[in-house]
């Protein structure tokens, strides 16, 4: 049966199997994109049925005994184990297969149903500002996530939360995250205090401009094409919550949202989602769609790409040297009194905010650390879900100096827990950390990077990311990629250096 001569054949069949599974997943992605952008309201019931069917079929495929047989045969072949590409594929396919196979089908069905009903309950609870309405669903989600974590397991010395993290940041643990979040927090707090204590206030004229939406669309498309997004292999549309979707080879879509007096919000969302999309467009999908070699490594690495384009590029002075003439061309006299410098400063306002998604680059990370600590405590049984609002409000008071007026602007503001995503939040700050560390290395590799950005020449930057991050797929785990690319393990230092340099200058804070 396990004749070595069969193995090239087995590997080929395995790849076909994966490609079909990825094709099913891309159909689900397309249905999901449509649901958020174009779908008529009356179709929502049937859409849920369509998505449930595809997710059942995809799970069956991902756990089919045939896949297990093929994998066994390939793993016994020394030639496949020694080739770095096939070895990386097999390692990752095995990981996914074992993880999916450990979940009983009835648990998968219960999770999927609870996720969609939990989200509906959350929407109502948030609209009515009624935590009690959401509480039973939160309790149920914690129970289900604990069961899921027990099924998939974790290495010795770890805990249930580590098992959940694997879905988002494979290879990392709660303890490792804590180790890096602690010094980050210790250095962020004095920076934020210094900014708040500064008497300097940036020019906010641009935040008061009312700009016609159709011109904002033109401006965002220009920016998107300018940074290197391939508009022939993707789309920019509108949705209530901006997102990106790497639907299929040759089809990567993003959304943003426009309001007349919120140009920088729309631009920030567009550049953020563009960063995700450039990663998706840079994965070698045409050659190996469905294989781990053409898939993103982790949510944190994905987020590093979105943050890098949104923040390090989009919030830079050089960026506005390029973007201001484009804005003048498209918006006309509305931009007459604005300078690169005032736009740069208006892009870099630091102000504690109750709402995570409205927060600036510095305080944002405190929001994430709060969620990481509280969700970990709930999963590990150290915090009862009913005590969440109190714990939340106390942290906001201590960390940001703000009073939470109601749970809708407190612990009910995010969708994640309602849809069962425990272990997701840390990825946002991991993305900021990876992004800043890549940025340091990038600047050393491309000494004239700022001049290039100022000239709207983004090819070298994008080329570097393509070569060092995008093309890699899941060849290495995130931590190893970071070491290979930057020469160092992930650290809080590059991000703190970047935040300190920028915000101390913007807010005129002296070093003593
Ligand atoms: Zn993102």
């Amino acid at each position: 049966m396990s004749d070595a001569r069969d193995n090239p054949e087995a590997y080929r069949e395995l790849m076909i199997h994966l490609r079909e599974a990825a094709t099913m997943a891309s159909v689900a992605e397309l249905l999901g994109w449509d649901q958020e952008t174009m779908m008529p309201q009356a179709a929502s019931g049937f859409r849920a049925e369509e998505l449930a069917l595809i997710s059942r079929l995809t799970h069956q495929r991902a756990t089919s005994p045939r896949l297990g047989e093929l994998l066994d045969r390939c793993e016994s072949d020394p030639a496949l184990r020694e080739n770095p590409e096939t070895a990386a594929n097999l390692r990752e396919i095995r990981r996914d297969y074992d993880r999916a196979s450990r979940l009983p089908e009835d648990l998968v069905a219960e999770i999927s149903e609870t996720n969609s009903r939990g989200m509906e309950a959350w929407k109502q609870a948030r609209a009515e500002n009624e935590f009690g309405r959401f509480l039973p669903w939160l309790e149920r989600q914690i129970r289900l996530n604990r069961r899921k974590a027990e099924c998939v397991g974790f290495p010795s010395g770890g805990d249930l939360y580590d098992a959940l993290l694997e879905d988002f940041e494979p290879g990392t643990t709660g303890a490792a995250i804590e180790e890096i979040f602690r010094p980050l927090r210790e250095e962020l707090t004095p920076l934020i205090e210094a900014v708040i204590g500064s008497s300097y206030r940036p020019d906010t004229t641009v935040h008061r401009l009312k700009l016609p939406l159709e011109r904002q669309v033109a401006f965002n498309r220009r920016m998107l094409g300018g940074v290197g997004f391939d508009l022939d292999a993707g789309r920019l549309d509108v949705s209530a919550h901006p997102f990106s979707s790497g639907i299929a080879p040759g089809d990567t879509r993003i959304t943003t949202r426009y309001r007349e007096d919120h140009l920088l919000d729309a631009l920030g969302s567009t550049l953020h989602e563009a960063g995700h999309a450039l990663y998706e467009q840079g994965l070698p999908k045409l050659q190996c769609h469905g294989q781990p070699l053409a898939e993103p490594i982790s949510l944190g690495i994905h987020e590093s790409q979105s943050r890098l384009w949104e923040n390090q590029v989009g919030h830079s002075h050089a960026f506005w040297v390029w973007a201001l003439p484009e804005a003048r061309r498209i918006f006309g006299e509305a931009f007459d009194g604005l300078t690169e410098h005032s736009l740069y400063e208006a892009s870099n306002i630091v102000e504690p905010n109750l709402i995570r998604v409205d927060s600036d680059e510095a305080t944002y990370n405190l929001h994430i650390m709060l969620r990481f600590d509280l969700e970990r405590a709930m999963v590990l049984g150290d915090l009862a879900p009913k005590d969440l609002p109190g714990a939340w409000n106390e942290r906001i008071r201590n960390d940001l100096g703000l009073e939470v007026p109601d749970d809708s602007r407190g612990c009910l503001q995010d969708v994640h827990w309602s849809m069962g995503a425990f272990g997701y939040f840390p990825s946002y700050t991991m993305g900021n950390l990876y992004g800043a560390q890549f940025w340091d290395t990038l600047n050393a590799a491309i000494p004239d990077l700022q001049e290039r950005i100022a000239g709207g020449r983004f090819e070298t930057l994008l080329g570097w990311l393509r070569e060092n991050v995008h093309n890699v797929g899941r060849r290495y785990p995130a931590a190893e990629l970071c070491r290979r690319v930057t020469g160092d393990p992930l650290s809080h230092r590059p991000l703190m250096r970047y935040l300190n340099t920028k915000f101390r200058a913007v807010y005129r804070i002296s070093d003593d």
Side-chain angles (χ1 to χ4, degrees), residues 414-455:
D414 294 308
V415 68
H416 304 60
W417 293 336
S418 77
M419 49 189 258
F422 287 81
Y424 186 122
F425 279 120
S427 296
Y428 292 115
T429 286
M430 299 291 277
N432 288 335
L433 294 161
Y434 282 124
Q437 197 155 326
F438 291 150
W439 189 246
D440 265 6
T441 307
L442 252 164
N443 274 278
I446 313 170
D448 61 346
L449 181 59
Q450 295 302 316
E451 290 98 276
R452 287 176 180 274
I453 293 174

Side-chain angles (χ1 to χ4, degrees), residues 260-495:
E260 278 192 338
D261 54 351
H262 279 71
L263 174 73
L264 294 193
D265 280 0
L267 176 63
S269 293
T270 299
L271 289 175
H272 180 96
E273 303 307 337
H276 283 303
L278 290 169
Y279 185 20
E280 291 285 336
Q281 288 185 335
L283 290 165
K285 292 185 193 181
L286 287 176
Q287 304 86 317
C288 28
H289 181 50
Q291 302 174 26
L293 287 177
E295 289 174 345
I297 299 172
S298 77
L299 219 56
I301 295 294
H302 225 303
E303 198 65 12
S304 76
Q305 301 306 291
S306 57
R307 297 291 174 174
L308 191 147
W309 288 96
E310 176 190 5
N311 296 336
Q312 272 84 358
V313 175
H315 292 171
S316 70
H317 188 273
F319 178 83
W320 283 109
V321 174
W322 169 62
L324 178 57
E326 300 288 343
R328 287 212 171 105
R329 188 171 58 75
I330 290 167
F331 296 112
E333 60 195 24
F335 266 69
D336 274 357
L338 290 165
T339 63
E340 294 93 350
H341 193 75
S342 69
L343 287 159
Y344 164 66
E345 289 202 344
S347 309
N348 287 296
I349 292 169
V350 173
E351 200 169 29
N353 194 311
L354 288 168
I355 307 297
R356 173 182 63 89
V357 297
D358 293 336
S359 294
D360 56 78
E361 280 183 71
T363 57
Y364 186 90
N365 297 297
L366 294 177
H367 279 279
I368 297 307
M369 292 182 217
L370 171 163
R371 286 155 177 78
F372 164 69
D373 289 338
L374 297 185
E375 71 175 10
R376 193 165 170 227
M378 286 194 286
V379 168
L380 297 180
D382 298 332
L383 174 66
K386 69 172 173 46
D387 296 328
L388 176 65
W392 182 288
N393 299 352
E394 193 188 325
R395 272 291 286 270
I396 291 286
R397 192 177 306 126
N398 290 338
D399 287 4
L400 297 171
L402 299 173
E403 286 302 321
V404 178
D406 50 52
D407 293 330
S408 298
R409 281 173 282 182
C411 65
L412 285 176
Q413 66 182 267
D414 294 308
V415 68
H416 304 60
W417 293 336
S418 77
M419 49 189 258
F422 287 81
Y424 186 122
F425 279 120
S427 296
Y428 292 115
T429 286
M430 299 291 277
N432 288 335
L433 294 161
Y434 282 124
Q437 197 155 326
F438 291 150
W439 189 246
D440 265 6
T441 307
L442 252 164
N443 274 278
I446 313 170
D448 61 346
L449 181 59
Q450 295 302 316
E451 290 98 276
R452 287 176 180 274
I453 293 174
R457 292 175 289 124
F458 294 97
E459 312 77 33
T460 315
L461 167 57
L462 183 55
W464 188 97
L465 292 170
R466 289 260 189 270
E467 188 189 329
N468 289 285
V469 181
H470 304 174
N471 267 322
V472 174
R474 287 166 66 186
R475 197 171 304 227
Y476 317 115
E480 187 183 339
L481 176 82
C482 179
R483 268 196 306 273
R484 281 174 177 266
V485 172
T486 70
D488 287 308
L490 185 65
S491 152
H492 71 288
R493 288 194 186 88
L495 177 62

Side-chain angles (χ1 to χ4, degrees), residues 479-510:
E480 187 183 339
L481 176 82
C482 179
R483 268 196 306 273
R484 281 174 177 266
V485 172
T486 70
D488 287 308
L490 185 65
S491 152
H492 71 288
R493 288 194 186 88
L495 177 62
M496 277 317 304
R497 215 165 24 240
Y498 158 77
L499 294 174
N500 270 314
T501 307
K502 178 161 78 173
F503 291 120
R504 284 177 189 275
V506 167
Y507 280 89
R508 319 280 203 266
I509 299 163
S510 61

Side-chain angles (χ1 to χ4, degrees), residues 3 13 93 123 125 127 211 232 344 439 492:
D3 183 351
E13 192 184 332
I93 297 163
K123 278 184 194 160
L211 300 163
D232 291 330
Y344 164 66
W439 189 246
H492 71 288

Side-chain angles (χ1 to χ4, degrees), residues 8 11 15 74-92 288 291 293 474-476:
Y11 190 75
M15 294 303 112
C74 292
E75 284 172 339
S76 68
D77 181 337
L80 291 172
R81 282 203 314 265
E82 275 155 32
N83 175 313
E85 299 211 336
T86 52
N89 260 342
L90 292 176
R91 179 196 70 221
E92 295 298 304
C288 28
Q291 302 174 26
L293 287 177
R474 287 166 66 186
R475 197 171 304 227
Y476 317 115

Side-chain angles (χ1 to χ4, degrees), residues 13-327:
E13 192 184 332
L14 182 62
M15 294 303 112
I16 291 168
H17 190 102
L18 290 177
R19 193 180 171 93
E20 286 175 359
T23 302
M24 267 186 212
S26 82
V27 171
E29 279 287 319
L30 187 54
L31 289 173
W33 173 85
D34 176 71
Q35 186 170 8
E36 300 297 318
T37 55
M38 301 285 171
M39 186 186 80
Q41 187 54 46
S44 66
F46 188 64
R47 181 55 46 87
E49 228 175 292
E50 290 171 322
L51 285 167
L53 173 62
I54 295 192
S55 101
R56 205 160 55 241
L57 292 173
T58 312
H59 183 73
Q60 278 168 9
R61 250 192 174 254
T63 54
S64 87
R66 180 66 185 154
L67 176 56
E69 282 165 33
L70 292 168
L71 196 48
D72 286 342
R73 276 167 58 193
C74 292
E75 284 172 339
S76 68
D77 181 337
L80 291 172
R81 282 203 314 265
E82 275 155 32
N83 175 313
E85 299 211 336
T86 52
N89 260 342
L90 292 176
R91 179 196 70 221
E92 295 298 304
I93 297 163
R94 165 61 66 192
R95 180 193 172 275
D96 295 347
Y97 179 73
D98 285 350
R99 215 174 144 76
S101 305
R102 287 184 196 131
L103 290 177
E105 219 162 292
D106 63 327
L107 180 61
V108 173
E110 197 183 345
I111 286 174
S112 140
E113 197 212 327
T114 307
N115 290 355
S116 64
R117 292 183 58 199
M119 206 192 325
E120 287 311 310
W122 165 77
K123 278 184 194 160
Q124 273 201 356
R126 189 171 76 153
E128 294 164 15
N129 187 26
E130 193 56 67
F131 179 73
R133 213 180 241 284
F134 178 56
L135 180 59
W137 290 96
L138 180 61
E139 285 169 339
R140 197 165 160 191
Q141 285 291 14
I142 303 270
R143 258 197 322 273
L144 280 176
N145 268 279
R146 289 177 59 92
R147 254 185 76 199
K148 176 181 157 188
E150 277 155 10
C151 290
V152 295
F154 47 85
S156 72
D159 57 36
L160 292 175
Y161 186 72
D162 296 344
L164 301 177
L165 270 175
E166 280 288 311
D167 273 346
F168 310 102
E169 288 304 306
T172 194
T173 63
I177 292 175
E178 202 174 66
E179 203 53 32
I180 196 161
F181 279 10
R182 194 185 317 114
L184 179 64
R185 184 186 176 78
E186 280 167 11
E187 293 184 31
L188 260 179
T189 310
L191 170 63
I192 294 167
E193 279 169 6
V195 167
I196 293 170
S198 160
S199 57
Y200 183 77
R201 288 290 167 263
D203 177 1
T204 55
T205 311
V206 66
H207 294 295
R208 291 191 300 274
L209 292 181
K210 283 200 186 307
L211 300 163
L213 298 191
E214 69 282 2
R215 293 195 190 182
Q216 291 200 39
V217 174
F219 179 67
N220 277 271
R221 283 183 67 84
R222 171 71 192 104
M223 295 294 103
L224 184 61
V227 297
F229 179 89
D230 182 357
L231 282 157
D232 291 330
R235 293 181 56 87
L236 170 63
D237 294 278
V238 173
S239 67
H241 303 283
F243 68 96
S244 74
S245 181
I247 292 174
D251 191 357
T252 304
R253 307 186 186 192
I254 69 168
T255 65
T256 191
R257 61 178 163 199
Y258 305 102
R259 275 177 296 171
E260 278 192 338
D261 54 351
H262 279 71
L263 174 73
L264 294 193
D265 280 0
L267 176 63
S269 293
T270 299
L271 289 175
H272 180 96
E273 303 307 337
H276 283 303
L278 290 169
Y279 185 20
E280 291 285 336
Q281 288 185 335
L283 290 165
K285 292 185 193 181
L286 287 176
Q287 304 86 317
C288 28
H289 181 50
Q291 302 174 26
L293 287 177
E295 289 174 345
I297 299 172
S298 77
L299 219 56
I301 295 294
H302 225 303
E303 198 65 12
S304 76
Q305 301 306 291
S306 57
R307 297 291 174 174
L308 191 147
W309 288 96
E310 176 190 5
N311 296 336
Q312 272 84 358
V313 175
H315 292 171
S316 70
H317 188 273
F319 178 83
W320 283 109
V321 174
W322 169 62
L324 178 57
E326 300 288 343

